Amino acid sequence: MDFEFTEEQKKLKESFAKLCEKEIAPRAEYIDKEAVFPRESIALLGTSGFLGMGFPEEYGGNSGDPITKAMLGEELAKACAATYLSAGASAGLFAVPVWKFGTEAQKKKYLPDILAGKKIGALAITEPHAGSDVLGIKTSARRQGTAWVINGSKTFITNGPVADSYVVVAYTEKEKKRDGITLFLVDNGTKGFSRGKPLEKLGVRGSPTSELFFDDCVVPEGSVLGSVNNGFYELAQTLTHGRIGMAVYSLGIAQACLEESINYAQDRTAFGRKISYFQDIHFKIADMKMYIDVGRELIYKAAWMLSQDDPQSILFASIAKLFMSEHATKIASDAVQIFGGYGFMKGYKVERLYRDAKLGEIGEGTSEIQRAIITKLVEDQY
Ligand SMILES: Cc1cc2nc3c(=O)[nH]c(=O)nc-3n(C[C@H](O)[C@H](O)[C@H](O)COP(=O)(O)OP(=O)(O)OC[C@H]3O[C@@H](n4cnc5c(N)ncnc54)[C@H](O)[C@@H]3O)c2cc1C
């Protein structure tokens, strides 16, 4: 086992980190304050090749191994968690199922523009009364000749207000439960489809979130993504990718907290000394570093396993997400603590990081759901 990165990986990380620092990070405070969607940043991530990493070249992708993608993702999340989240919902949660389960025509229609950052995608699972409990959704689709008619509503959908296209999860045969769910591709502008205003949020305010409404929304047969009644299983695969993506989100936030904390502690004085002198500060910084490094290794392992189609990748994606998200929340809290009163003030980066960190424990399955998945998979092994 070789833990060393190649020269190519190191150079790529360095140049992508510079791009994030120069182009993405300076806008982070503004898009958070004004709740503005960072469309130009998504386009830039498309032209830089980041969005297309790991996707086939024929659909606008480029070679890129999952570990390198995680390395670069950390830099993006560190620079701006909201930009990372929206980019991931589009080129991950939307593009991955299209790539994995789509027909040739669907891949050609959707992937090039999404991976170029010219268009935006979203994945719509959650409903007002059902998030963790996917089988509790009410949205349904019934056949009408060769078409499908979708009825229902979704909520908390990342990129909801701005996306061009959506992967929508609906029951096609509710009585069959997990064997009665189908994924549909719905384009914005389709009759019977509408979307709500951006919801006001605690964090990642630059990443717009909204409700979606389907009122006798008619989509053609070619809108079925994957196989009819196989959507639950297609979704499970998509969410394994998504959980690793969410773990990287938390990793980037945690790393930003560590760097902010070290710099501030070396600058701020109290009782005639730099606060970096105090042992309480050492302990916080040491714990941050330890949890970040362990979390990063877990993420790389999960990403690598997924690229090898290892069935254990489901387990490791949950472990990595659970570990990194819970520690990122604690790390962000400690970073605010190190900043004292300033950490509570708008305009200080750690204040935003603290708000953004919490989503890591909720999105792509809550911590409780990750623990349930881990227990189920581990129990099955023994
Ligand atoms: C900013 C943001 C962006 C989002 N983006 C998207 C998106 O793009 N697409 C999308 O489909 N969804 C999205 N979501 C929704 C997100 O995935 C859900 O909020 C999440 O899965 C939890 O579902 P819920 O909110 O319905 O909570 P609930 O499922 O109602 O859970 C409430 C509480 O009960 C606990 N709980 C529930 N079931 C169990 C159980 N079996 N055992 C133990 N505890 C349990 C939960 O862990 C939680 O603590 C987003 C949410 C947010 C906040």
Side-chain angles (χ1 to χ4, degrees):
M1 198 181 293
D2 185 353
F3 281 92
E4 185 61 33
F5 296 120
T6 64
E7 282 309 310
E8 198 190 347
Q9 281 175 314
K10 286 183 204 165
K11 275 193 195 142
L12 207 54
K13 181 178 156 95
E14 201 185 327
S15 67
F16 189 71
K18 276 189 190 145
L19 179 111
C20 290
E21 212 175 300
K22 187 162 171 266
E23 307 288 347
I24 311 273
R27 303 199 69 220
E29 190 183 337
Y30 166 75
I31 68 164
D32 176 67
K33 192 169 170 223
E34 303 296 333
V36 174
F37 177 58
R39 195 172 282 281
E40 304 79 21
S41 299
I42 304 287
L44 180 67
L45 293 169
T47 50
S48 75
F50 174 75
L51 299 182
M53 276 182 86
F55 287 88
E57 276 180 31
E58 60 207 282
Y59 308 119
N62 58 75
S63 63
D65 66 281
I67 293 182
T68 312
K69 191 164 186 173
M71 288 166 77
L72 303 196
E74 178 185 341
E75 294 300 330
L76 176 59
K78 191 176 97 177
C80 178
T83 304
Y84 176 93
L85 189 73
S86 274
S90 185
L93 295 179
F94 174 84
V96 165
V98 173
W99 167 37
K100 295 282 175 190
F101 314 113
T103 61
E104 194 54 27
Q106 288 169 338
K107 289 184 219 184
K108 283 197 172 127
K109 177 179 172 187
Y110 291 107
L111 291 180
D113 281 349
I114 292 282
L115 302 182
K118 290 181 185 164
K119 287 198 171 168
I120 307 295
L123 170 65
I125 312 167
T126 306
E127 301 190 356
H129 48 272
S132 306
D133 179 14
V134 175
L135 297 181
I137 63 166
K138 289 185 183 162
T139 298
S140 65
R142 64 180 156 80
R143 274 192 199 275
Q144 189 182 70
T146 57
W148 291 90
V149 185
I150 306 176
N151 277 290
S153 68
K154 300 285 175 184
T155 195
F156 303 152
I157 307 307
T158 298
N159 296 341
V162 296
D164 298 283
S165 304
Y166 302 79
V167 169
V168 178
V169 182
Y171 268 118
T172 31
E173 284 186 76
K174 195 169 171 61
E175 60 289 355
K176 288 190 176 170
K177 299 199 168 170
R178 67 181 58 203
D179 294 316
I181 282 182
T182 303
L183 307 185
F184 289 90
L185 284 158
V186 178
D187 295 334
N188 184 35
T190 305
K191 197 161 171 268
F193 170 72
S194 59
R195 48 203 198 178
K197 290 200 181 99
L199 298 164
E200 278 289 336
K201 301 198 298 295
L202 172 74
V204 282
R205 289 169 42 78
S207 170
T209 314
S210 76
E211 292 177 289
L212 305 177
F213 306 100
F214 305 87
D215 187 8
D216 282 336
C217 173
V218 180
V219 292
E221 177 68 37
S223 300
V224 170
L225 178 60
S227 313
V228 173
N229 288 347
N230 200 37
F232 184 82
Y233 305 97
E234 291 153 4
L235 196 57
Q237 282 191 50
T238 304
L239 291 180
T240 301
H241 283 265
R243 281 174 188 144
I244 295 171
M246 210 60 201
V248 173
Y249 167 93
S250 299
L251 173 64
I253 291 173
Q255 179 63 29
C257 288
L258 173 64
E259 293 175 18
E260 289 290 309
S261 299
I262 290 173
N263 289 335
Y264 187 78
Q266 286 171 350
D267 193 46
R268 177 76 173 171
T269 50
F271 299 94
R273 294 178 182 279
K274 301 286 182 204
I275 62 166
S276 58
Y277 169 83
F278 301 118
Q279 200 175 40
D280 309 67
I281 305 283
H282 298 173
F283 289 166
K284 284 188 178 63
I285 303 265
D287 283 359
M288 286 182 186
K289 172 70 179 157
M290 172 175 71
Y291 291 124
I292 288 169
D293 279 16
V294 173
R296 191 182 284 117
E297 297 302 323
L298 280 172
I299 290 168
Y300 289 167
K301 176 162 178 163
W304 181 82
M305 289 170 92
L306 183 60
S307 72
Q308 304 299 305
D309 288 328
D310 187 328
Q312 292 279 313
S313 59
I314 302 170
L315 173 63
F316 273 83
S318 282
I319 291 175
K321 183 199 180 272
L322 176 62
F323 182 91
M324 200 61 248
S325 62
E326 291 196 342
H327 284 298
T329 304
K330 171 75 168 82
I331 286 167
S333 170
D334 282 351
V336 170
Q337 198 68 20
I338 288 174
F339 273 68
Y342 289 107
F344 209 69
M345 297 295 143
K346 290 280 176 201
Y348 281 80
K349 191 172 171 183
V350 291
E351 182 269 344
R352 170 164 50 82
L353 293 167
Y354 181 64
R355 288 184 285 109
D356 290 348
K358 185 63 190 171
L359 178 66
E361 294 182 69
I362 298 169
E364 306 286 323
T366 61
S367 289
E368 291 76 11
I369 294 302
Q370 303 313 319
R371 286 193 166 83
I373 293 170
I374 293 165
T375 308
K376 169 88 178 65
L377 293 173
V378 171
E379 280 175 353
D380 287 351
Q381 286 176 7
Y382 297 100

